[in-house]
């Protein structure tokens, strides 16, 4: 059966922590493709301007273009307003009903899942593949995954990936403070941030 990864994020900007996670899961779970989805507005985060959303999309596109196992989906680019993972997953499934979908995420996401729209249905539709993230408690993740399995029958696989202590927030803060982000993002993304003078305020 075709296995497809869905990797959603604000990607503001996309950094090497995202790329290493996706590469590791793609390889270890044997996924044919990982679809990067630059999310529209997240009901749990602040709204973004259209310009910022376009820039996040462009940086994501640039960061993955040389990896044949990665692709970018514009599914949420076309949606206006808030986007919900369940709706995105259903649209993808309608386009390719034969595939098994894997939802890639870092461990912070696992603790928010019960706040997501129709999360119980989402648990039935996708397999979650979670990687550890520095600064979080590994044991707490195992306990939470077990609880979600027992309570909702969720499919959650925990996978080891290199620990990369980077977040988009730290990238934005570094740029603002004029500290280099070279090698924390790909070269093209680095140049794009500079050219567009992003994150300076
Ligand atoms: P921000 O700092 O703006 O909240 P972020 O770095 O957490 O952003 P997102 O785009 O919100 O990035 O994250 C998308 C996905 O990537 C989430 O599932 C998140 O857990 C995961 N992720 C981001 N950075 C890392 C990292 N360094 N290690 C493991 N997972 C990560």
């Amino acid at each position: 059966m075709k296995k497809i990864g869905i990797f959603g994020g604000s990607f503001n900007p996309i950094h090497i922590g995202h790329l290493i996670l996706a590469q590791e899961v793609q390889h270890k779970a044997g996924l044919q493709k990982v679809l990067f989805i630059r999310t529209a507005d997240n009901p749990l985060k602040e709204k973004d301007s259209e310009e910022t959303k376009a820039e996040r999309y462009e940086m994501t596109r640039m960061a993955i273009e040389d990896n044949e196992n990665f692709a970018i989906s514009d599914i949420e680019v076309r949606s206006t307003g808030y986007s919900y993972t369940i709706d995105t997953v259903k649209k993808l499934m309608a386009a390719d009903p034969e595939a098994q979908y894997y939802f890639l995420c870092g461990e912070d996401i696992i603790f928010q899942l019960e706040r997501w729209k129709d999360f119980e249905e989402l648990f039935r539709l996708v397999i979650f593949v979670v990687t550890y993230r520095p600064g979080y408690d590994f044991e707490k993740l195992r306990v939470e995954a077990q609880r979600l399995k027992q309570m909702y029958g969720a499919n959650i696989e925990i996978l080891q990936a290199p620990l990369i202590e980077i977040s988009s927030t730290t990238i934005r803060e570094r740029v603002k403070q004029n500290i280099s982000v070279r090698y924390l993002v790909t070269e093209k993304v680095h140049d794009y941030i500079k050219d567009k003078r992003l994150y300076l305020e």
Side-chain angles (χ1 to χ4, degrees), residues 51-66:
E51 189 183 1
T52 309
K53 275 190 261 186
E55 288 161 352
R56 292 194 280 119
Y57 181 86
E58 182 56 13
M59 287 188 282
T60 307
R61 191 196 62 72
M62 286 175 166
I64 64 160
E65 68 182 351
D66 60 353

Side-chain angles (χ1 to χ4, degrees), residues 157-168:
E157 292 173 13
I158 301 175
L159 211 143
Q160 296 274 2
L163 291 176
I164 310 292
E165 202 173 356
I166 304 174
S167 67
S168 298

Side-chain angles (χ1 to χ4, degrees), residues 14-195:
I14 186 162
H15 53 72
I16 59 160
H18 295 126
L19 297 170
I20 290 169
L21 181 158
Q23 174 60 31
E24 197 77 6
V25 176
Q26 183 273 321
H27 179 74
K28 287 191 174 163
L31 309 180
Q32 268 88 347
K33 274 259 176 282
V34 175
L35 284 179
F36 283 68
I37 301 181
R38 186 284 278 140
T39 52
D41 284 313
N42 175 342
L44 305 178
K45 287 190 178 180
E46 262 180 51
K47 275 199 165 200
D48 245 347
S49 71
E50 286 310 312
E51 189 183 1
T52 309
K53 275 190 261 186
E55 288 161 352
R56 292 194 280 119
Y57 181 86
E58 182 56 13
M59 287 188 282
T60 307
R61 191 196 62 72
M62 286 175 166
I64 64 160
E65 68 182 351
D66 60 353
N67 188 323
E68 60 187 13
N69 297 311
F70 291 172
I72 188 162
S73 164
D74 64 355
I75 200 158
E76 292 205 10
V77 172
R78 287 177 268 125
S79 62
T80 51
Y82 290 131
S83 70
Y84 297 94
T85 301
I86 185 74
D87 301 328
T88 302
V89 165
K90 281 183 175 169
K91 279 186 213 159
L92 290 172
M93 290 182 91
D96 197 348
E98 297 302 314
Q100 170 65 58
Y101 287 90
Y102 290 73
F103 192 88
L104 281 53
C105 58
E107 65 183 298
D108 48 312
I109 299 295
I110 290 298
F111 297 95
Q112 309 173 2
L113 288 178
E114 283 167 302
R115 292 161 66 197
W116 287 15
K117 182 185 163 200
D118 300 337
F119 67 92
E120 291 184 64
E121 188 179 8
L122 191 60
F123 283 148
R124 286 193 292 276
L125 298 180
V126 300
I127 298 173
F128 280 82
V129 189
V130 196
T131 63
Y132 295 127
R133 199 168 169 178
Y136 287 81
D137 182 335
F138 300 165
E139 186 50 31
K140 228 172 116 190
L141 172 64
R142 272 194 289 271
V143 171
E144 181 65 357
Q146 197 53 36
R147 185 182 73 80
L148 294 171
K149 276 181 200 174
Q150 273 168 2
M151 213 157 160
Y152 308 110
N155 271 306
I156 301 177
E157 292 173 13
I158 301 175
L159 211 143
Q160 296 274 2
L163 291 176
I164 310 292
E165 202 173 356
I166 304 174
S167 67
S168 298
T169 304
T170 57
I171 303 277
R172 295 193 300 272
E173 280 168 359
R174 288 175 72 104
V175 174
K176 199 171 167 186
Q177 293 165 28
N178 205 17
I179 304 169
S180 174
V181 294
R182 197 163 187 189
Y183 308 121
L184 302 181
V185 296
T186 67
E187 204 173 327
K188 282 185 184 161
V189 171
H190 173 264
D191 293 348
Y192 186 90
I193 291 173
K194 275 200 136 173
D195 290 349

